Amino acid sequence: AFATTLDAAAHGKTSAGPVGNRMYFNSDTMVHRRATYAVVIRMRSKKTVAARCINGACLKAQHVADGAIHVYPTDSAAARFLSMPAVWDWHSLPGITAATDSPFFACDPKISEALGYQWPLRMPGGSFVGGASDGSVGAAAMQFGHGGGLLPQTGLVLSRSHFLFDDTIVVLGAGLSSKTP
């Protein structure tokens, strides 16, 4: 299916591409692809890097792996381009739970240099991230919390699960608590 997709793209045609569900354990990412849409869920644990701040890029990207859910049309390149948001509200990425008034972690070259450009590794990760897939449908879960380390002390704690079926996505949350309002 992947070879067919590449061949179609090489000849200026569109293709549904490979269809299925995969959990990428090394990156805490689940990808769910169908003929007309694809879903990508980014999670983070202590083994993964949530975001990078290099050369002044991604200044406010600290929530991109907090369970962000991105749904993309796959039927054409034009549809994918037109579905991209023009501007992000970095506290309201699709699928995340975050304190909307919390300050962002500083992306300061001097701080990054002092940490050996390792500040993303010092962000607190979840105590559990995992998923299961039979190649067609999948389920993923994560526990995470904000606070401690170099991040603001919001004390946000949440457990989430994601269930991805042919034409349905179910997201459940439990145990939500926060030190801030």
Side-chain angles (χ1 to χ4, degrees):
F2 185 65
T4 302
T5 301
L6 292 177
D7 186 54
H11 293 93
K13 300 175 186 172
T14 60
S15 168
V19 172
N21 181 285
R22 301 287 185 273
M23 178 67 192
Y24 296 96
F25 297 97
N26 290 338
S27 63
D28 292 334
T29 302
M30 180 166 273
V31 177
H32 186 74
R33 188 172 165 88
R34 294 297 183 253
T36 58
Y37 72 94
V39 177
V40 177
I41 300 174
R42 287 212 49 219
M43 301 170 283
R44 69 177 157 128
S45 66
K46 293 177 181 173
K47 72 176 187 265
T48 58
V49 174
R52 296 194 182 277
C53 170
I54 299 172
N55 296 331
C58 297
L59 299 177
K60 297 181 178 182
Q62 71 191 38
H63 296 302
V64 296
D66 288 353
I69 301 171
H70 301 284
V71 180
Y72 303 98
T74 57
D75 49 354
S76 74
R80 285 190 297 275
F81 178 75
L82 293 173
S83 72
M84 290 192 295
V87 178
W88 281 111
D89 176 352
W90 291 98
H91 280 111
S92 299
L93 297 177
I96 70 163
T97 302
T100 58
D101 60 350
S102 64
F104 288 103
F105 183 79
C107 180
D108 183 329
K110 292 179 183 177
I111 293 173
S112 296
E113 186 177 332
L115 296 173
Y117 294 95
Q118 298 298 311
W119 71 261
L121 299 176
R122 300 182 71 174
M123 294 175 77
S127 58
F128 172 80
V129 170
S133 173
D134 69 358
S136 179
V137 297
M142 72 181 277
Q143 287 182 315
F144 73 98
H146 295 162
L150 300 171
L151 288 176
Q153 298 292 327
T154 63
L156 180 66
V157 176
L158 175 65
S159 297
R160 291 181 54 165
S161 57
H162 307 84
F163 302 91
L164 297 108
F165 304 102
D166 280 334
D167 59 357
T168 304
I169 302 167
V170 178
V171 180
L172 302 173
L176 175 63
S177 67
S178 176
K179 291 180 183 175
T180 60

